[in-house]
Amino acid sequence: MFEEKANEVVANLPWVKNVKVTMSAQPARPLFAEQLPAGLQTISNIVAVSSCKGGVGKSTVAVNLAYTLADMGARVGIFDADVYGPSLPTMVSPENRLLEMNPEKRTIIPTEYLGVKLVSFGFAGQGRAIMRGPMVSGVINQLLTTTEWGELDYLIIDMPPGTGDIQLTLCQIVPLTAAVIVTTPQKLSFIDVAKGVRMFSKLKVPCVAVVENMCHFDADGKRYYPFGRGSGSQVVQQFGIPHLFDMPIRPTLSASGDSGMPEVVADPQGEASKIFQDLGVCVVQQCAKIRQQVSTAVTYDRSIKAIKVKVPDSDEEFFLHPATVRRNDRSAQSVDEWTGEQKLQYTDVPEDIEPEEIRPMGNYAVSITWPDGFSQIAPYDQLQTIERLVDIVLPAVHA
Ligand code: ADP
């Protein structure tokens, strides 16, 4: 689209004889790079694919989504976080089926299949282990953060099924850009989806799509819905998740899961691949939107000496006095944790204090660095309750 438009506009200039468009793009900078473990600093978007139950097709969706994004030209990695039953090893066929270590840096080098970087406990060469929750979280953390991912546009995380501690911990280690939830149309699934959406919303991670898998199949010229009609429309209504994808039951999807070649690679023109392409486009668009919102949410306007807060998903915009923001800090350094008494005195904060830097933290807060070196974590929720500056006179804009 960009190429066509550029061609058209330039070709329309009267003195242009012919046009050759070369397109390139700068990789988007990771949003919270400084706060991330080194191995994750070069990843632009991290997308969790999650389900509340096993066997609904979560891994199938994660792997096919990853290869769809790669086909669209993105640099992609898959992290299979299911340490109990890693399925990635049966779904792809990398030449090297063992993760390698970089002994000097003590980091893990992912294996690769058709250009997509892969890390799974199933490639760790230890077979399945019996582990309890905290150990599982430790292993996941180690695998994820000590991997040398290199520059990636998307890291797809195939989450362990469920919404318990392991999932929560994982979501806290990495700042997820977005989540995709996979479910089947059974009656109970709505409750499952709701649980998933709530977990992610607690962590301020937007769910950008729900995939209702194994919806229907066609036989004898008729369409059958073996699990009943799904609760998809209910999900859309109740949670405002904008995108719902119906994935039919397809024997080839199941077969490709065991053959070591994802369906979207084996049959790129097939029915399932088309749905994965739509899902891929949705993920790309939503991630871009989310990044924009987060990165412009809170800024400091030096010309009017005010912190500008833009409320995501709305046109609302308001201004805060820097000193007021600093005085409202609720951390242990400013408030006695036992008594709740404000330790920071009003006069401790100079009226003309100015922030040195404002950076987004996760999807839920900003970190504000002040000249005295203090780093204040201000959740968006709190910023919305602080007394606002009114009657800001914006400097006139001269044409
Ligand atoms: P999960 O990750 O949720 O445990 P999997 O992706 O491993 O689920 O899928 C479970 C099984 O169902 C696999 O054998 C997979 O090939 C099969 N499967 C998944 N989705 C479909 C589908 N739409 N049609 C046919 N088989 C499918």
Side-chain angles (χ1 to χ4, degrees), residues 53-60 213-214 247-250 253-254:
K53 288 203 180 91
V56 300
K58 171 183 52 63
S59 303
T60 306
N213 192 18
M214 309 194 214
M247 187 65 71
I249 296 179
R250 294 261 307 176
L253 253 183
S254 170

Side-chain angles (χ1 to χ4, degrees), residues 8 17 32 71 93 95 130 193 198 301 334:
E8 185 190 312
K17 293 214 173 80
F32 326 109
D71 188 54
S93 330
E95 213 166 282
I130 299 166
V193 176
R198 286 214 183 87
D301 190 330
S334 306

Side-chain angles (χ1 to χ4, degrees), residues 2-21:
F2 284 127
E3 192 175 339
E4 260 172 34
K5 198 75 200 161
N7 236 315
E8 185 190 312
V9 171
V10 179
N12 274 341
L13 297 170
W15 40 269
V16 167
K17 293 214 173 80
N18 55 53
V19 185
K20 185 169 167 266
V21 179

Side-chain angles (χ1 to χ4, degrees), residues 22 42 45 57 71 93 109 133 211 213 217 219 231 235 255 266 297 300 318 363 388:
T22 308
T42 46
N45 301 286
D71 188 54
S93 330
I109 302 161
V211 178
N213 192 18
F217 63 88
S231 43
V235 172
Y300 181 59
F318 56 88
N363 296 319
R388 300 176 184 185

